Amino acid sequence: MPVTEPRLPPVEEKDIPDKALEALRSYRNGDGDIYAIWATLAAHPDALRRFLVFGNHVLGKNTLPARSRELVILRIAWLAQAEYEWLQHVRIARRAGVSEDEIRAIGRPGDPGFGGVERTLLAAVDQLFAGADLDDAVWQGLREHLTTEQLIDLVYTVGQYQTVAMAINVFRIQPEPDIAALREEFPLPAPTVS
């Protein structure tokens, strides 16, 4: 059951300093409102502006293919059970060519629908998320398919979105109504206990 009350409410736009508002210019939904994640983090405007610089690289200038990046982000959202991140990136992943079946299978990284390099990427996410390191087999699998820049961007992507997931969960950031509408079609699959 999703939590419905934020611990930190989003900052009203009128209360966000001009420098932070300028940095948030492109972080608005279809109605022109600042996304809840960024309006919440605007409670610390200087940190937000600095965080957005790194986030812009990870989301917009990343050397990983968009599809790979989105599989990585969805896997992090699933591992962290960060619903806001999950729902936002369901939309982005679909635009990046991730199928609805693949989105629903993200909790099963060994699913036959994922190719070999994608299974290796998802295994890397699991290892980075759990232990901040990669074993030699996963490292070698990544080296066979990724450039050095892509390897660095993979680590950056996991770190960035693990941080975002923590903020979402700790501050109980609530999805906007258009994003929340995806809950029924793409509920965040709960981890299975083995």
Side-chain angles (χ1 to χ4, degrees):
M1 181 69 119
V3 175
T4 58
E5 291 297 321
R7 283 181 170 160
L8 288 181
V11 177
E12 297 284 332
E13 187 167 338
K14 66 180 178 52
D15 297 326
I16 299 174
D18 289 341
K19 282 184 179 179
L21 268 180
E22 177 61 26
L24 291 169
R25 189 173 10 133
S26 61
Y27 292 89
R28 296 175 180 272
N29 64 22
D31 294 330
D33 298 322
I34 297 168
Y35 284 107
I37 177 83
W38 307 119
T40 301
L41 297 179
H44 191 336
D46 290 337
L48 170 66
R49 286 187 303 112
R50 292 176 185 105
F51 189 69
L52 288 174
V53 172
F54 185 65
N56 284 334
H57 170 79
V58 171
L59 190 60
K61 309 233 185 300
N62 200 322
T63 58
L64 289 171
R67 175 186 162 81
S68 297
R69 180 199 68 220
E70 290 306 314
L71 288 172
V72 165
I73 295 168
L74 286 173
R75 182 70 180 165
I76 294 163
W78 180 80
L79 288 166
Q81 290 293 286
E83 185 191 46
Y84 186 98
E85 185 171 79
W86 171 261
L87 294 173
Q88 281 284 11
H89 283 275
V90 160
R91 290 190 334 171
I92 297 168
R94 289 164 79 178
R95 290 193 303 260
V98 180
S99 74
E100 293 182 6
D101 288 341
E102 290 168 326
I103 291 168
R104 289 185 181 95
I106 204 70
R108 302 181 312 271
D111 189 282
F114 296 115
V117 66
E118 290 175 344
R119 281 194 296 276
T120 303
L121 270 174
L122 295 172
V125 172
D126 289 359
Q127 288 183 16
L128 290 167
F129 187 90
D133 198 3
L134 296 173
D135 67 29
D136 290 339
V138 169
W139 174 254
Q140 286 305 323
L142 292 171
R143 278 310 270 170
E144 290 173 18
H145 299 284
L146 302 181
T147 67
T148 298
E149 291 82 7
Q150 288 173 323
L151 287 165
I152 292 169
D153 277 340
L154 170 62
V155 172
Y156 285 168
T157 302
V158 172
Q160 161 79 5
Y161 281 93
Q162 192 165 356
T163 299
V164 171
M166 280 189 287
I168 287 165
N169 289 344
V170 170
F171 305 141
R172 308 289 195 261
I173 297 172
Q174 302 302 300
E176 293 79 7
D178 62 326
I179 302 299
L182 291 170
R183 280 179 175 149
E184 189 172 319
E185 187 179 2
F186 293 100
L188 178 61
T192 55
V193 179
S194 44

